[in-house]
Amino acid sequence: MTTHTFTLIVDGPDLQSDELIDDVYEAGCDDALIGRADGIQFADFDREADTFQYAVLTAVAELECIAGITVTRLADAGLVSMADIAARTGRTRESVRLLITGERGPGGFPPPVTDPRGRYRLWRSDEVETWLREHLAATLDNATDDHIRAAINACLELRHHRAHLDDTERSKLRTLVDI
């Protein structure tokens, strides 16, 4: 078995309260560290499992068996910043910026998933990983689970937003998802 490290963002009552701390442990989350930063509650896991997917899905199920708790997303959802790309490739930020703008390398760097005019741009790590491998014979560190991270996060986000949609809107959006 492999130890998988991930962070889940959690909505609901304070899991660090005296009333719920035992519930977290009894739910099976004895491998989690519960915390709060800037009003956002999270659970850091170091979970042993055969696959990353199994580790995350069991952690979500265990947390959500606690009354009022909902997991809203996976903190690292397969998105990377320019600084992340630099750190994970051993390059400088300037070197990465030049690759992104096409001033260095073969060009064709993947587009950001956020507004390209914004100051803080993010890229899908799986797309960056593919581009680096194909064009520079390089890789991003820790990129092995990027597709499943993104898929799990998309499901958690969809589940969160689904609650705010009426049946007609849900029906129309169902055509976008073929799972």
Side-chain angles (χ1 to χ4, degrees):
M1 271 201 236
T2 304
T3 300
H4 302 277
T5 301
F6 56 93
T7 300
L8 298 175
I9 306 301
V10 181
D11 275 348
D14 185 359
L15 291 174
Q16 292 178 303
S17 69
D18 292 338
E19 299 84 33
L20 292 180
I21 208 106
D22 289 336
D23 292 347
V24 172
Y25 184 81
E26 290 171 11
C29 298
D30 57 341
D31 54 352
L33 174 65
I34 306 299
R36 184 177 295 275
D38 298 327
I40 299 170
Q41 186 168 223
F42 60 88
D44 283 333
F45 281 88
D46 288 319
R47 177 156 287 204
E48 288 189 14
D50 289 334
T51 66
F52 178 78
Q53 179 178 3
Y54 184 78
V56 173
L57 295 179
T58 57
V60 169
E62 290 168 2
L63 282 171
E64 290 187 341
C65 78
I66 301 168
I69 296 299
T70 303
V71 176
T72 60
R73 66 185 184 277
L74 191 56
D76 175 7
L79 298 176
V80 290
S81 67
M82 190 177 343
D84 295 331
I85 297 167
R88 290 175 61 181
T89 58
R91 293 176 168 269
T92 64
R93 284 189 201 185
E94 179 62 11
S95 172
V96 172
R97 186 191 71 75
L98 293 171
L99 290 171
I100 290 168
T101 61
E103 295 175 57
R104 182 178 290 166
F109 198 85
V113 294
T114 53
D115 188 337
R117 299 163 296 181
R119 180 172 179 184
Y120 301 104
R121 294 173 293 164
L122 298 172
W123 289 262
R124 287 187 180 97
S125 54
D126 60 307
E127 292 176 0
V128 172
E129 168 76 14
T130 299
W131 187 90
L132 288 169
R133 191 177 342 93
E134 288 175 0
H135 298 289
L136 302 178
T139 60
L140 286 175
D141 288 343
N142 304 319
T144 55
D145 298 311
D146 284 342
H147 286 290
I148 195 66
R149 281 180 189 274
I152 289 170
N153 199 57
C155 290
L156 291 169
E157 288 282 343
L158 178 60
R159 189 175 72 166
H160 171 75
H161 293 290
R162 180 179 163 218
H164 304 285
L165 303 173
D166 64 33
D167 290 338
T168 303
E169 292 168 324
R170 274 189 250 154
S171 178
K172 289 176 184 175
L173 292 175
R174 194 169 284 122
T175 62
L176 296 174
V177 181
D178 182 29
I179 290 183

